[in-house]
Amino acid sequence: MANTPKNPKELLARADVTSRARHGAAAVRDQVRGTAAQVKDKVAEGAAHAEEYRAVAQVEEKVTEAARRVRHGTPEPVRAAAGTVARTGGRHPRVLAAVATAAAALLACAALRRRRRDDGA
């Protein structure tokens, strides 16, 4: 009974300390819950990025394999011409864009001619 408050002021002081401790504990609990939610969101976000990275890596592997097949199946003169065009395009990007546009137009014309010939026959 030595710890029993002797007057109302002591009783009020102890109740206030208990109340502040409960409020403090509730604040810490809320903070921990908020931090845990943020960590959970970050982990989910990281998992999404990892999945995206895996998909990109798979696509890159497929593109690399397709490029290897094309490179090995292309005759040497064509590879040499393509290398020259790539080097020129690196030095003069506008010229490369103009050449690419012209080549696309020529291919489109050839395709249209072939279609007309096939339709007329």
Side-chain angles (χ1 to χ4, degrees), residues 21-39:
R22 283 187 182 142
H23 288 298
V28 169
R29 183 181 61 239
D30 292 343
Q31 183 180 7
V32 168
R33 284 181 181 165
T35 303
Q38 288 176 353
V39 168

Side-chain angles (χ1 to χ4, degrees), residues 6 10 15 25 29 37-38 40 44 46 62 65 84 105-106 108 115:
K6 301 214 187 308
E10 285 180 27
R29 183 181 61 239
Q38 288 176 353
K40 183 179 176 183
K62 288 179 182 179
E65 179 60 25
T84 302
L106 288 173
R115 181 180 284 174

Side-chain angles (χ1 to χ4, degrees), residues 29-93:
R29 183 181 61 239
D30 292 343
Q31 183 180 7
V32 168
R33 284 181 181 165
T35 303
Q38 288 176 353
V39 168
K40 183 179 176 183
D41 291 344
K42 289 289 183 182
V43 167
E45 185 179 311
H49 285 301
E51 187 64 34
E52 182 179 313
Y53 175 77
R54 271 186 243 127
V56 169
Q58 288 174 351
V59 169
E60 287 175 349
E61 288 174 10
K62 288 179 182 179
V63 168
T64 301
E65 179 60 25
R68 187 190 63 75
R69 286 185 197 152
V70 168
R71 185 173 45 246
H72 289 300
T74 304
E76 181 56 38
V78 175
R79 279 192 268 168
T84 302
V85 169
R87 283 190 298 279
T88 302
R91 289 186 297 241
H92 309 287

